[in-house]
Amino acid sequence: MLLNDKLMNFLDESHSNFHAVNKMASMLDQKGYVRLKNNEKWDLSDKQQYYVVVNNSSIFAFDLNGYEPLQGYKIVASHTDAPTFKVKPNAVQIVNNTILINSEAYGGLIDYTWLDRPLKLAGRVIVDVEGKLETRLFDSKKALGIIPSLAIHMNRAVNNETKFNRHTQMRPLIGQAESFDFKAYLANELDVEASSIIDYELVFKPLENSTYVCVNDEFIASNHIDNLQSAYVSFEAFLNSQNNKGVNVYASFDNEEIGSMTKQGANATILKDVLIRINHAFNLSEEEHLMSLAKSFIVSADNAHANHPNYMSANDENHIVNLNGGVVVKYSANQKYTTDALSAALMRKLSEYSGAKIQTYVNRADAPGGSTLGSISSTQLSIMSVDIGLPQLAMHSSMELAGSEDSNHMFELLKAFYEVELIISEDSIQIGR
Ligand code: ZN
């Protein structure tokens, strides 16, 4: 199966970030990875492969086939979450016999892109099973809601003004009734007693599946391309690389879109803890652990802004980024991206080795631009790092656009990263092959 087809299946099955992580966990199970628990002792052996899930929404996998004491870690990190509307605890509002769902924005979404699209509802529900609070994944499996526009006849300014009040104007409609018991609905769908539904984290997502678009299928349109494209493609590179040199690590964090400051986000200690526990399992000292960190490298993979043909001046004119132009290496003088000359140079050499195309992104000097998890992760782990991503348009729209050739470039680049031997010192990297 082509990488793009696998990616598109993954995008379609990832009804929420919980589903994305669950899918990756089952793929790791199939590959024979051993699932670890954070609340149990880790007895690790070399030549084995492991993973751990945090909060159902972040996942960390590592491959010890190339393990030797004091080698560094080769890490690729991404994020699982995306901007969306999240249902509030007291969800139901009835207006004029219509059931509205009271929700709030999660992350920096583009409001108008959520209008007039059939929406499914998905996430996790906490169920009381004889006194134990258990997590169940939920997805509505159909279009449950929609946020209709107001007709232009009633808002003649709509094409000049695109501001919406999220509290009063962006509530999804989910039915007609004089009253509605939301928990009873969830219970019925999950086939449990209504009284056992204790709480939930549910988000809306466009029902529409991902699709190729344009004359020669040049592009892929989908919800959640940022950042499940980078998360999935780096996952495939991790799973499909021959690991002889060093410890390969895959990390995908939740909550990048809201600043990463959560227990399962890049600002938590989880990735650092995973690395410490690996070295503890092999009886390395604190000093030796720090030595292996100093030989390590982290690639932060999060999607990047391609040049929009209708808005060419939105990007820096000396750093044109094109869909299907390959992996983007992101620079920022203020280190919103972690890339520096040495870490970028490694990407350029790996591009040569692998044949993967790369291109370069820098914000315009008069635009603040975004940031990503790389710089936040660096506050927890002082490891050499680079920020890369796949080029896309319509970032944070409910329907984003990516190039259909770019996933292969990232796959090849990161496969090369996972397969080479990196001999890292303070101001040099030697690449063994
Ligand atoms: Zn992102």
Side-chain angles (χ1 to χ4, degrees):
M1 202 178 192
L2 290 173
L3 181 59
N4 269 338
D5 294 332
K6 291 198 273 185
L7 165 68
M8 289 160 82
N9 282 346
F10 181 73
L11 288 165
D12 297 343
E13 288 172 11
S14 296
H15 312 298
S16 69
N17 55 341
F18 301 116
H19 290 82
V21 166
N22 189 53
K23 174 77 184 164
M24 287 194 270
S26 62
M27 288 172 69
L28 290 165
D29 290 337
Q30 278 171 16
K31 287 264 183 186
Y33 278 68
V34 177
R35 184 166 183 154
L36 299 166
K37 295 208 163 159
N38 267 329
N39 62 350
E40 291 173 2
K41 184 168 165 40
W42 290 10
D43 288 313
L44 309 179
S45 36
D46 57 0
K47 311 292 177 208
Q48 274 285 4
Q49 298 162 313
Y50 301 90
Y51 76 98
V52 63
V53 169
V54 178
N55 190 56
N56 303 113
S57 61
S58 294
I59 188 163
F60 305 87
F62 53 94
D63 179 348
L64 298 179
N65 271 307
Y67 179 81
E68 276 177 35
L70 292 178
Q71 276 186 327
Y73 302 98
K74 288 182 288 179
I75 306 161
V76 181
S78 58
H79 69 90
T80 61
D81 60 323
T84 181
F85 285 100
K86 190 167 184 177
V87 180
K88 289 185 177 179
N90 294 329
V92 174
Q93 296 177 332
I94 306 287
V95 176
N96 193 31
N97 209 40
T98 307
I99 310 160
L100 302 174
I101 293 297
N102 189 17
S103 52
E104 57 183 328
Y106 173 92
L109 49 78
I110 304 177
D111 292 340
Y112 66 83
T113 65
W114 287 81
L115 297 170
D116 308 321
R117 281 182 193 280
L119 302 172
K120 57 188 169 184
L121 184 68
R124 65 175 180 177
V125 177
I126 307 304
V127 179
D128 184 344
V129 182
E130 294 170 2
K132 187 178 177 196
L133 303 177
E134 292 184 355
T135 299
R136 300 280 167 85
L137 293 192
F138 169 83
D139 92 86
S140 65
K141 296 188 178 64
K142 58 172 271 186
L144 185 75
I146 191 161
I147 310 172
S149 302
L150 182 65
I152 191 167
H153 316 77
M154 292 158 180
N155 180 13
R156 292 286 177 192
V158 68
N159 291 327
N160 314 328
E161 292 254 352
T162 51
K163 269 192 188 160
F164 299 94
N165 183 314
R166 287 177 180 163
H167 192 68
T168 60
Q169 297 173 336
M170 298 298 290
R171 290 174 291 180
L173 283 57
I174 68 156
Q176 285 186 317
E178 285 175 9
S179 65
F180 186 73
D181 185 337
F182 188 59
K183 286 187 177 171
Y185 158 76
L186 294 174
N188 189 44
E189 293 293 308
L190 288 168
D191 206 15
V192 297
E193 293 291 318
S195 58
S196 69
I197 304 281
I198 308 300
D199 216 318
Y200 52 76
E201 282 172 66
L202 297 169
V203 297
F204 286 97
K205 176 176 164 110
L207 179 76
E208 202 175 346
N209 277 345
S210 57
T211 178
Y212 287 106
V213 290
C214 294
V215 168
N216 295 309
D217 293 346
E218 284 92 337
F219 308 126
I220 295 169
S222 175
N223 175 254
H224 213 150
I225 280 177
D226 169 21
N227 186 34
L228 289 187
Q229 186 186 21
S230 287
Y232 184 75
V233 173
S234 56
F235 187 59
E236 283 286 344
F238 171 78
L239 291 180
N240 290 290
S241 36
Q242 294 292 327
N243 176 22
N244 313 309
K245 308 282 182 189
V247 177
N248 284 350
V249 181
Y250 173 82
S252 203
F253 293 96
D254 195 2
N255 299 136
E256 190 275 342
E257 300 293 358
I258 54 164
S260 300
M261 309 276 274
T262 63
K263 68 186 186 305
Q264 60 277 357
N267 198 47
T269 58
I270 33 177
L271 177 57
K272 180 164 118 182
D273 297 342
V274 166
L275 304 185
I276 288 172
R277 291 177 81 160
I278 295 171
N279 267 337
H280 274 181
F282 291 99
N283 298 315
L284 264 65
S285 67
E286 181 74 5
E287 169 78 356
E288 288 167 324
H289 175 62
L290 294 173
M291 287 164 66
S292 57
L293 287 188
K295 297 175 187 174
S296 299
F297 194 101
I298 182 164
V299 178
S300 158
D302 192 4
N303 274 13
H305 300 294
N307 275 67
H308 193 309
N310 286 340
Y311 303 88
M312 282 300 282
S313 62
N315 291 42
D316 181 286
E317 63 274 22
N318 278 19
H319 300 89
I320 303 291
V321 171
N322 289 320
L323 295 177
N324 295 320
V327 179
V328 182
V329 180
K330 307 187 218 175
Y331 290 73
S332 158
N334 297 303
Q335 291 286 288
K336 285 184 172 174
Y337 304 125
T338 56
T339 309
D340 59 32
L342 186 54
S343 65
L346 175 63
M347 292 300 109
R348 296 188 189 287
K349 290 312 280 185
L350 292 177
S351 154
E352 265 177 49
Y353 291 161
S354 63
K357 287 198 285 187
I358 60 172
Q359 43 191 344
T360 305
Y361 179 85
V362 195
N363 285 317
R364 285 176 61 105
D366 54 4
S371 63
T372 182
L373 57 94
S375 56
I376 293 163
S377 178
S378 291
T379 61
Q380 289 295 339
L381 273 169
S382 183
I383 291 181
M384 196 178 292
S385 177
V386 68
D387 266 281
I388 66 167
L390 289 170
Q392 71 164 94
L393 295 176
M395 190 178 283
H396 293 192
S397 166
S398 74
M399 192 59 59
E400 302 177 319
L401 194 71
S404 41
E405 291 174 20
D406 290 320
S407 293
N408 287 321
H409 290 293
M410 180 179 265
F411 176 83
E412 294 300 335
L413 186 79
L414 293 180
K415 187 166 182 288
F417 169 72
Y418 277 131
E419 291 187 344
V420 294
E421 180 181 19
L422 295 181
I423 303 157
I424 294 174
S425 69
E426 197 176 303
D427 59 358
S428 72
I429 304 174
Q430 190 186 331
I431 307 167
R433 298 170 72 190

